[in-house]
Amino acid sequence: MNGLDERGRALGNHGAAGRPAPAGTPPVAPPGVPSGADPVKALMLRHRELCERAVDALEIAAGLEAHGVTDRTAARFRHRDVFSLAEEMYARAARVDEDEVPAGPPAAAGPPPARWALRALLPGALCAGTVAALRWTTGEARLVVGVLGLAAVVGGVRLALGRGPLSSEGRSVPGPHDWRTPPGARAWAYLLVGYALMGDGLLHAGLVGGPDDLPGGRYGDWPVTLTPLLALGLSCAPAVWSAHLFRAGVGRKLAGSRGLEEFAATARPLLLGVVAVHLAAVSGLSALCAVLLDEHSTPAATAALGALLLIARLLTVHGFTHAPGVVLRAVGWTEIASVCLVFAGRLPGCDVLAGPVETVVSVWGEHAVPLLACGAGALVLLVHACRRLALASAHAPAGPRPPSDR
């Protein structure tokens, strides 16, 4: 038990203000506490800043949970759960605020849905334009078009994620949350997309003794697979809408729940449903793009990467940035190591290094490497998200961010 739980145990024998003890139960004062002590008031003093700036009782409940207060702790304050404890704290703090604290500026409204919905279409449109330009060019012009197109796509993704449900802009909650996207995690996400674009072709070329030239798509011996890039770009819109549905659904569940365990039991199925819908969307887009581009591609590998990126982003925008960075880094190193082992196996006496990769590829094909790596990473992050995103503190109302987090 943390220090707050111990304080709750010490003060829990006294009824909360406005909630008398059951008839026939005489109050028992714990040692060292005066008989007239108010445990809820002591808790409010401990979390004075949280109570003063809270806009509703849900924000206080989320803040208490972030500081380790559970339903069991609330029971020691003669409350059935954290939500009812937060309601009393908010009601008592609101009367103090009305008399002593001047009203602050109204909270800034989020961007209109139409705006972020249009931005979510931008990566797909840029990907489609880049793919069309790559199909119509050859030689050095093709390489230049590819570089400029990828730069445009990266800019479009950054713009699409800068506002809306997949943005952490304006989020703030007390507790050990970090609202900044680690630069390393962003770089590894781009590397995974780059592997989906060229990694399988390089792996195949290495296994057959190449490559002998730079990547040239269908005109070279290091094929570039455009299907995953186009499918992932088009899937940005479903990802943003999935995150919007998750945020709206969680908001309704949070408002209707009367306990932390009840909220967690309803939030997890919602998260699993959103991930399943996104998996289906990416798989369908990948199959459609493979037919349109006349390329051999495995929708399952692209869907696994899409799910990995979505879950990592959901965790990041809710303040849990460590696990996504670790998992993305591990998946990236796995894919890099698979290619490096193939080329290291060419060295004299080092054939054994390429053995595991050759076995996997011979049984399931080149697409098995990203499928297994991204699938395992997505599963790990999904288990972690089912724990973290089921916390009420992960969905605290939006508020101004500190300047250092911008």
Side-chain angles (χ1 to χ4, degrees), residues 167-192:
S167 170
S168 58
E169 186 70 23
R171 298 300 304 275
S172 178
V173 66
H177 295 268
D178 185 3
W179 301 98
R180 295 168 291 184
T181 302
R186 187 181 295 116
W188 282 108
Y190 291 144
L191 184 141
L192 293 177

Side-chain angles (χ1 to χ4, degrees), residues 64-202:
L64 291 176
E65 186 196 43
H67 284 88
V69 180
T70 63
D71 290 342
R72 185 176 181 182
T73 308
R76 300 192 182 104
F77 290 87
R78 299 295 177 86
H79 284 270
R80 63 182 179 275
D81 50 46
V82 174
F83 287 90
S84 61
L85 176 61
E87 287 174 350
E88 178 176 345
M89 294 174 65
Y90 177 72
R92 296 173 65 176
R95 290 195 295 270
V96 175
D97 291 344
E98 292 173 359
D99 298 335
E100 301 179 3
V101 181
R115 185 179 304 175
W116 56 254
L118 291 176
R119 290 185 178 184
L121 298 174
L122 185 59
L126 292 174
C127 281
T130 301
V131 169
L134 289 173
R135 306 279 287 190
W136 293 339
T137 56
T138 58
E140 295 181 357
R142 183 182 175 88
L143 182 60
V144 173
V145 168
V147 172
L148 295 178
L150 287 177
V153 170
V154 170
V157 171
R158 295 289 299 273
L159 187 62
L161 300 184
R163 294 289 189 276
L166 286 179
S167 170
S168 58
E169 186 70 23
R171 298 300 304 275
S172 178
V173 66
H177 295 268
D178 185 3
W179 301 98
R180 295 168 291 184
T181 302
R186 187 181 295 116
W188 282 108
Y190 291 144
L191 184 141
L192 293 177
V193 176
Y195 184 93
L197 181 65
M198 298 182 294
D200 289 341
L202 178 59

